[in-house]
């Protein structure tokens, strides 16, 4: 029940920010080059990582890595730890981000 509420909330937020995603798809932050519009919806990104835990946050991000936009997802695992995942916004391929250990010890939650 709680997972469905979180998914519904994140999906609603993604729908409300649809105009932002359209604007995001036209130019990069520095205005140099166009950014690829995401083919993968927020719901598809959620579905790609759902087996790994409960979604805490979902964010469409263009990290400038040259591969285009990606969905950044933060999950809460069954053992109470947080994990960061990246879902490619073109292919829906999910990959755990292990470069930044998410153990809540250095988090600054304002």
């Amino acid at each position: 029940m709680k997972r469905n509420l979180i998914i519904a909330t994140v999906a609603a937020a993604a729908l409300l920010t649809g105009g932002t995603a359209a604007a995001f798809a036209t130019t990069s932050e520095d205005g140099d080059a166009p950014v690829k519009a995401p083919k993968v919806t927020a719901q598809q990104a959620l579905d790609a990582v759902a087996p790994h835990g409960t979604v805490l946050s979902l964010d469409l991000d263009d990290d400038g890595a040259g591969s285009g936009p990606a969905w950044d997802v933060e999950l809460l695992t069954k053992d109470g730890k947080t994990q960061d995942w990246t879902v490619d916004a073109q292919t829906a391929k999910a990959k755990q981000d292990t470069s930044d250990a998410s153990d809540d010890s250095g988090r600054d939650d304002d």
Side-chain angles (χ1 to χ4, degrees), residues 32-110:
D32 288 341
V35 177
K36 294 178 186 177
K39 293 180 182 177
V40 176
T41 66
Q43 185 61 51
Q44 290 169 320
L46 292 172
D47 291 343
V49 297
H52 303 287
T54 302
V55 174
L56 298 176
S57 69
L58 174 74
D59 179 43
L60 183 61
D61 185 34
D62 179 20
D63 62 3
S67 61
W71 292 100
D72 291 332
V73 186
E74 184 178 10
L75 297 178
L76 180 65
T77 63
K78 289 180 182 179
D79 60 358
K81 296 182 181 180
T82 59
Q83 294 179 344
D84 293 322
W85 286 74
T86 301
V87 179
D88 187 293
Q90 301 298 318
T91 64
K93 181 178 178 184
K95 181 176 83 172
Q96 185 179 358
D97 181 8
T98 56
S99 64
D100 178 58
S102 295
D103 61 2
D104 291 338
S105 61
R107 294 183 69 174
D108 182 20
D109 293 338
D110 292 320

Side-chain angles (χ1 to χ4, degrees), residues 27-34:
T27 60
S28 64
E29 288 179 14
D30 58 11
D32 288 341

